[in-house]
Amino acid sequence: MGRTVYVNGAYVDEADAKVSIFDRAFLFGDGVYEVTSVIDHELVDADAHVERLDRSLRELGMAWPCTPDELVAMHSELIARNDIDEGVVYMQVTRGEAERDFHFPADTPTSLVAFTQKRGLLDNPKAETGVKVVSMPDIRWQRRDIKSTALLAQVLGKQAAVENDAYEGWMIEDGHVTEGTSSSAYIVKDGTVITRPLSNAILPGVTRRTIVQLMAETDVTLDERLFTIEEAYAADEAFLTSASTFVLPIVDIDGRLIGGGKPGPVARRLRDIYIQEARRSST
Ligand code: PLP
């Protein structure tokens, strides 16, 4: 018996989980997804993930496969059945199964699948050492605000990072950093956190949203503006955020040491504050 996963209304063993080769996510990347972290057997920021999913579905003209409450209940059921104390729940909605043709199929129900990944999130050794990042051109499409399953540019970016012994790739467009291949990007200069404002150019990170809210309750100031990779090289600190890594300090960008190669105080503090809040508010 492997994990119990969810496929269109049924909880099944992962070995028995099947989707059609005609599923439009398989043929076109015509789907959207969410990754929600789990701490102490509870979902973190579930409402914000539901809200972003709703937006992604609306932007692509896709119907909800169930109600938002049913979606959250399904997540909780997977957490319970797989005894996930810490980890993530991955879910995706696709435009369903239809004869291959580019335009939207008529009267085709959307498809919903989900699975859990058990992994340690709180005691992450990378939070102590910091991580290395390499920059690369942003070759993605222009609707990066939609959390689409079409992730080939990010697959190539992450592979290039791994081949350069780095943890993450920071993508650059018109001379400015957009974001990481699977994370939001920040630098810190003179006590101010700088991150790109929300637009079609980046994914509205759920962790970013929470961090921005939490920062407002501290003496750390926030400047939402574009920044160049050269500014990042000269920053006091850099860090990234994502649902599964929370806040991770960056200590090396393109071979230049940031903050003397050690995690900085702002990133450390924001990680602590974020984890405290996540534990307090997990549903
Ligand atoms: N940016 C991109 C491109 C991502 O893929 C992700 C997460 O997968 C993020 C940012 C961070 O978003 P979140 O904090 O919602 O995980």
Side-chain angles (χ1 to χ4, degrees), residues 131-135 229-230 232-235 238 250-262:
V131 297
K132 188 176 158 182
V133 160
V134 287
S135 63
I229 196 72
E230 288 74 23
Y233 297 154
I250 292 167
V251 293
D252 182 317
I253 303 176
D254 290 337
R256 279 107 165 152
L257 291 188
I258 310 299
K262 296 219 161 45

PDB file of all heavy atoms in Angstrom, residues 131-135 229-230 232-235 238 250-262:
ATOM      1  N   VAL A 131      20.958  29.444   1.154  1.00  0.00           N
ATOM      2  CA  VAL A 131      21.035  28.727  -0.123  1.00  0.00           C
ATOM      3  C   VAL A 131      21.677  29.602  -1.198  1.00  0.00           C
ATOM      4  O   VAL A 131      21.785  30.817  -1.048  1.00  0.00           O
ATOM      5  CB  VAL A 131      19.638  28.262  -0.601  1.00  0.00           C
ATOM      6  CG1 VAL A 131      19.027  27.275   0.366  1.00  0.00           C
ATOM      7  CG2 VAL A 131      18.712  29.454  -0.849  1.00  0.00           C
ATOM      8  N   LYS A 132      22.062  28.916  -2.261  1.00  0.00           N
ATOM      9  CA  LYS A 132      22.699  29.577  -3.391  1.00  0.00           C
ATOM     10  C   LYS A 132      21.676  29.740  -4.528  1.00  0.00           C
ATOM     11  O   LYS A 132      20.861  28.835  -4.759  1.00  0.00           O
ATOM     12  CB  LYS A 132      23.856  28.674  -3.832  1.00  0.00           C
ATOM     13  CG  LYS A 132      24.764  29.234  -4.849  1.00  0.00           C
ATOM     14  CD  LYS A 132      25.923  28.256  -5.096  1.00  0.00           C
ATOM     15  CE  LYS A 132      26.515  28.562  -6.466  1.00  0.00           C
ATOM     16  NZ  LYS A 132      27.597  27.663  -6.841  1.00  0.00           N
ATOM     17  N   VAL A 133      21.770  30.869  -5.213  1.00  0.00           N
ATOM     18  CA  VAL A 133      20.855  31.160  -6.320  1.00  0.00           C
ATOM     19  C   VAL A 133      21.677  31.520  -7.559  1.00  0.00           C
ATOM     20  O   VAL A 133      22.743  32.120  -7.429  1.00  0.00           O
ATOM     21  CB  VAL A 133      19.941  32.345  -5.903  1.00  0.00           C
ATOM     22  CG1 VAL A 133      19.327  33.028  -7.089  1.00  0.00           C
ATOM     23  CG2 VAL A 133      18.872  31.893  -4.931  1.00  0.00           C
ATOM     24  N   VAL A 134      21.190  31.127  -8.725  1.00  0.00           N
ATOM     25  CA  VAL A 134      21.821  31.599  -9.964  1.00  0.00           C
ATOM     26  C   VAL A 134      20.778  32.334 -10.806  1.00  0.00           C
ATOM     27  O   VAL A 134      19.586  31.998 -10.762  1.00  0.00           O
ATOM     28  CB  VAL A 134      22.449  30.451 -10.804  1.00  0.00           C
ATOM     29  CG1 VAL A 134      23.717  29.932 -10.150  1.00  0.00           C
ATOM     30  CG2 VAL A 134      21.471  29.318 -11.039  1.00  0.00           C
ATOM     31  N   SER A 135      21.202  33.340 -11.545  1.00  0.00           N
ATOM     32  CA  SER A 135      20.245  34.089 -12.364  1.00  0.00           C
ATOM     33  C   SER A 135      20.175  33.513 -13.769  1.00  0.00           C
ATOM     34  O   SER A 135      21.107  32.847 -14.236  1.00  0.00           O
ATOM     35  CB  SER A 135      20.635  35.570 -12.415  1.00  0.00           C
ATOM     36  OG  SER A 135      21.882  35.727 -13.044  1.00  0.00           O
ATOM     37  N   ILE A 229      19.628  42.571 -10.819  1.00  0.00           N
ATOM     38  CA  ILE A 229      20.477  41.530 -10.223  1.00  0.00           C
ATOM     39  C   ILE A 229      21.739  42.179  -9.625  1.00  0.00           C
ATOM     40  O   ILE A 229      22.268  41.704  -8.620  1.00  0.00           O
ATOM     41  CB  ILE A 229      20.806  40.414 -11.256  1.00  0.00           C
ATOM     42  CG1 ILE A 229      21.330  39.152 -10.569  1.00  0.00           C
ATOM     43  CG2 ILE A 229      21.787  40.889 -12.321  1.00  0.00           C
ATOM     44  CD1 ILE A 229      20.286  38.372  -9.812  1.00  0.00           C
ATOM     45  N   GLU A 230      22.163  43.321 -10.196  1.00  0.00           N
ATOM     46  CA  GLU A 230      23.334  44.012  -9.641  1.00  0.00           C
ATOM     47  C   GLU A 230      23.011  44.555  -8.246  1.00  0.00           C
ATOM     48  O   GLU A 230      23.848  44.503  -7.343  1.00  0.00           O
ATOM     49  CB  GLU A 230      23.788  45.161 -10.559  1.00  0.00           C
ATOM     50  CG  GLU A 230      24.451  44.708 -11.860  1.00  0.00           C
ATOM     51  CD  GLU A 230      23.462  44.156 -12.884  1.00  0.00           C
ATOM     52  OE1 GLU A 230      22.243  44.486 -12.819  1.00  0.00           O
ATOM     53  OE2 GLU A 230      23.893  43.375 -13.764  1.00  0.00           O
ATOM     54  N   ALA A 232      20.956  43.180  -6.283  1.00  0.00           N
ATOM     55  CA  ALA A 232      20.923  41.982  -5.428  1.00  0.00           C
ATOM     56  C   ALA A 232      22.342  41.601  -4.998  1.00  0.00           C
ATOM     57  O   ALA A 232      22.564  41.242  -3.842  1.00  0.00           O
ATOM     58  CB  ALA A 232      20.251  40.829  -6.171  1.00  0.00           C
ATOM     59  N   TYR A 233      23.303  41.705  -5.945  1.00  0.00           N
ATOM     60  CA  TYR A 233      24.695  41.363  -5.591  1.00  0.00           C
ATOM     61  C   TYR A 233      25.178  42.250  -4.440  1.00  0.00           C
ATOM     62  O   TYR A 233      25.978  41.841  -3.613  1.00  0.00           O
ATOM     63  CB  TYR A 233      25.650  41.591  -6.773  1.00  0.00           C
ATOM     64  CG  TYR A 233      25.401  40.732  -7.996  1.00  0.00           C
ATOM     65  CD1 TYR A 233      25.806  41.176  -9.271  1.00  0.00           C
ATOM     66  CD2 TYR A 233      24.798  39.477  -7.907  1.00  0.00           C
ATOM     67  CE1 TYR A 233      25.592  40.413 -10.405  1.00  0.00           C
ATOM     68  CE2 TYR A 233      24.580  38.714  -9.050  1.00  0.00           C
ATOM     69  CZ  TYR A 233      24.978  39.186 -10.295  1.00  0.00           C
ATOM     70  OH  TYR A 233      24.768  38.430 -11.417  1.00  0.00           O
ATOM     71  N   ALA A 234      24.713  43.508  -4.428  1.00  0.00           N
ATOM     72  CA  ALA A 234      25.206  44.491  -3.453  1.00  0.00           C
ATOM     73  C   ALA A 234      24.296  44.586  -2.215  1.00  0.00           C
ATOM     74  O   ALA A 234      24.516  45.443  -1.352  1.00  0.00           O
ATOM     75  CB  ALA A 234      25.305  45.860  -4.122  1.00  0.00           C
ATOM     76  N   ALA A 235      23.302  43.700  -2.134  1.00  0.00           N
ATOM     77  CA  ALA A 235      22.344  43.791  -1.019  1.00  0.00           C
ATOM     78  C   ALA A 235      22.972  43.317   0.290  1.00  0.00           C
ATOM     79  O   ALA A 235      23.959  42.579   0.292  1.00  0.00           O
ATOM     80  CB  ALA A 235      21.110  42.942  -1.343  1.00  0.00           C
ATOM     81  N   ALA A 238      19.499  38.617   1.134  1.00  0.00           N
ATOM     82  CA  ALA A 238      18.503  38.208   0.136  1.00  0.00           C
ATOM     83  C   ALA A 238      17.782  36.993   0.712  1.00  0.00           C
ATOM     84  O   ALA A 238      18.347  36.269   1.542  1.00  0.00           O
ATOM     85  CB  ALA A 238      19.173  37.867  -1.191  1.00  0.00           C
ATOM     86  N   ILE A 250      19.196  33.586   1.438  1.00  0.00           N
ATOM     87  CA  ILE A 250      20.080  33.342   0.289  1.00  0.00           C
ATOM     88  C   ILE A 250      21.453  33.927   0.641  1.00  0.00           C
ATOM     89  O   ILE A 250      21.537  35.065   1.116  1.00  0.00           O
ATOM     90  CB  ILE A 250      19.508  34.022  -0.970  1.00  0.00           C
ATOM     91  CG1 ILE A 250      18.207  33.324  -1.387  1.00  0.00           C
ATOM     92  CG2 ILE A 250      20.521  34.008  -2.127  1.00  0.00           C
ATOM     93  CD1 ILE A 250      17.392  34.083  -2.408  1.00  0.00           C
ATOM     94  N   VAL A 251      22.503  33.140   0.429  1.00  0.00           N
ATOM     95  CA  VAL A 251      23.838  33.600   0.841  1.00  0.00           C
ATOM     96  C   VAL A 251      24.796  33.735  -0.340  1.00  0.00           C
ATOM     97  O   VAL A 251      25.952  34.142  -0.161  1.00  0.00           O
ATOM     98  CB  VAL A 251      24.452  32.665   1.905  1.00  0.00           C
ATOM     99  CG1 VAL A 251      23.649  32.763   3.200  1.00  0.00           C
ATOM    100  CG2 VAL A 251      24.507  31.230   1.422  1.00  0.00           C
ATOM    101  N   ASP A 252      24.326  33.380  -1.538  1.00  0.00           N
ATOM    102  CA  ASP A 252      25.213  33.421  -2.708  1.00  0.00           C
ATOM    103  C   ASP A 252      24.339  33.616  -3.949  1.00  0.00           C
ATOM    104  O   ASP A 252      23.390  32.858  -4.157  1.00  0.00           O
ATOM    105  CB  ASP A 252      25.985  32.087  -2.771  1.00  0.00           C
ATOM    106  CG  ASP A 252      26.975  32.006  -3.914  1.00  0.00           C
ATOM    107  OD1 ASP A 252      26.633  32.428  -5.038  1.00  0.00           O
ATOM    108  OD2 ASP A 252      28.091  31.489  -3.711  1.00  0.00           O
ATOM    109  N   ILE A 253      24.634  34.659  -4.710  1.00  0.00           N
ATOM    110  CA  ILE A 253      23.924  34.867  -5.983  1.00  0.00           C
ATOM    111  C   ILE A 253      24.964  34.940  -7.088  1.00  0.00           C
ATOM    112  O   ILE A 253      25.863  35.810  -7.054  1.00  0.00           O
ATOM    113  CB  ILE A 253      23.085  36.168  -5.972  1.00  0.00           C
ATOM    114  CG1 ILE A 253      22.087  36.179  -4.814  1.00  0.00           C
ATOM    115  CG2 ILE A 253      22.356  36.345  -7.306  1.00  0.00           C
ATOM    116  CD1 ILE A 253      21.277  37.466  -4.677  1.00  0.00           C
ATOM    117  N   ASP A 254      24.898  34.027  -8.031  1.00  0.00           N
ATOM    118  CA  ASP A 254      25.856  33.965  -9.151  1.00  0.00           C
ATOM    119  C   ASP A 254      27.306  33.972  -8.671  1.00  0.00           C
ATOM    120  O   ASP A 254      28.181  34.610  -9.284  1.00  0.00           O
ATOM    121  CB  ASP A 254      25.625  35.157 -10.103  1.00  0.00           C
ATOM    122  CG  ASP A 254      24.319  35.033 -10.879  1.00  0.00           C
ATOM    123  OD1 ASP A 254      23.823  33.893 -11.028  1.00  0.00           O
ATOM    124  OD2 ASP A 254      23.792  36.069 -11.324  1.00  0.00           O
ATOM    125  N   GLY A 255      27.552  33.306  -7.555  1.00  0.00           N
ATOM    126  CA  GLY A 255      28.922  33.201  -7.054  1.00  0.00           C
ATOM    127  C   GLY A 255      29.367  34.377  -6.200  1.00  0.00           C
ATOM    128  O   GLY A 255      30.483  34.376  -5.673  1.00  0.00           O
ATOM    129  N   ARG A 256      28.514  35.408  -6.047  1.00  0.00           N
ATOM    130  CA  ARG A 256      28.843  36.532  -5.146  1.00  0.00           C
ATOM    131  C   ARG A 256      28.228  36.256  -3.777  1.00  0.00           C
ATOM    132  O   ARG A 256      27.028  35.991  -3.699  1.00  0.00           O
ATOM    133  CB  ARG A 256      28.262  37.854  -5.657  1.00  0.00           C
ATOM    134  CG  ARG A 256      29.098  38.508  -6.727  1.00  0.00           C
ATOM    135  CD  ARG A 256      28.386  38.347  -8.025  1.00  0.00           C
ATOM    136  NE  ARG A 256      28.916  39.222  -9.063  1.00  0.00           N
ATOM    137  CZ  ARG A 256      28.864  38.926 -10.349  1.00  0.00           C
ATOM    138  NH1 ARG A 256      28.367  37.754 -10.742  1.00  0.00           N
ATOM    139  NH2 ARG A 256      29.316  39.760 -11.243  1.00  0.00           N
ATOM    140  N   LEU A 257      29.050  36.375  -2.750  1.00  0.00           N
ATOM    141  CA  LEU A 257      28.524  36.143  -1.409  1.00  0.00           C
ATOM    142  C   LEU A 257      27.631  37.299  -0.979  1.00  0.00           C
ATOM    143  O   LEU A 257      27.960  38.468  -1.197  1.00  0.00           O
ATOM    144  CB  LEU A 257      29.662  35.998  -0.400  1.00  0.00           C
ATOM    145  CG  LEU A 257      30.519  34.735  -0.506  1.00  0.00           C
ATOM    146  CD1 LEU A 257      31.468  34.641   0.686  1.00  0.00           C
ATOM    147  CD2 LEU A 257      29.652  33.479  -0.588  1.00  0.00           C
ATOM    148  N   ILE A 258      26.514  36.968  -0.382  1.00  0.00           N
ATOM    149  CA  ILE A 258      25.583  37.979   0.145  1.00  0.00           C
ATOM    150  C   ILE A 258      25.673  37.919   1.669  1.00  0.00           C
ATOM    151  O   ILE A 258      25.645  36.825   2.254  1.00  0.00           O
ATOM    152  CB  ILE A 258      24.125  37.672  -0.293  1.00  0.00           C
ATOM    153  CG1 ILE A 258      24.054  37.411  -1.801  1.00  0.00           C
ATOM    154  CG2 ILE A 258      23.175  38.787   0.140  1.00  0.00           C
ATOM    155  CD1 ILE A 258      24.494  38.560  -2.688  1.00  0.00           C
ATOM    156  N   GLY A 259      25.775  39.091   2.293  1.00  0.00           N
ATOM    157  CA  GLY A 259      25.864  39.130   3.763  1.00  0.00           C
ATOM    158  C   GLY A 259      27.041  38.331   4.287  1.00  0.00           C
ATOM    159  O   GLY A 259      26.934  37.687   5.338  1.00  0.00           O
ATOM    160  N   GLY A 260      28.155  38.363   3.544  1.00  0.00           N
ATOM    161  CA  GLY A 260      29.340  37.623   3.982  1.00  0.00           C
ATOM    162  C   GLY A 260      29.146  36.108   3.936  1.00  0.00           C
ATOM    163  O   GLY A 260      29.903  35.353   4.541  1.00  0.00           O
ATOM    164  N   GLY A 261      28.095  35.668   3.219  1.00  0.00           N
ATOM    165  CA  GLY A 261      27.886  34.218   3.061  1.00  0.00           C
ATOM    166  C   GLY A 261      27.124  33.594   4.226  1.00  0.00           C
ATOM    167  O   GLY A 261      27.069  32.369   4.357  1.00  0.00           O
ATOM    168  N   LYS A 262      26.513  34.458   5.052  1.00  0.00           N
ATOM    169  CA  LYS A 262      25.747  33.926   6.212  1.00  0.00           C
ATOM    170  C   LYS A 262      24.305  34.470   6.170  1.00  0.00           C
ATOM    171  O   LYS A 262      24.106  35.625   5.777  1.00  0.00           O
ATOM    172  CB  LYS A 262      26.388  34.394   7.515  1.00  0.00           C
ATOM    173  CG  LYS A 262      27.781  33.861   7.732  1.00  0.00           C
ATOM    174  CD  LYS A 262      27.954  33.514   9.213  1.00  0.00           C
ATOM    175  CE  LYS A 262      29.106  32.580   9.475  1.00  0.00           C
ATOM    176  NZ  LYS A 262      30.343  32.917   8.769  1.00  0.00           N
TER     177      LYS A 262
END
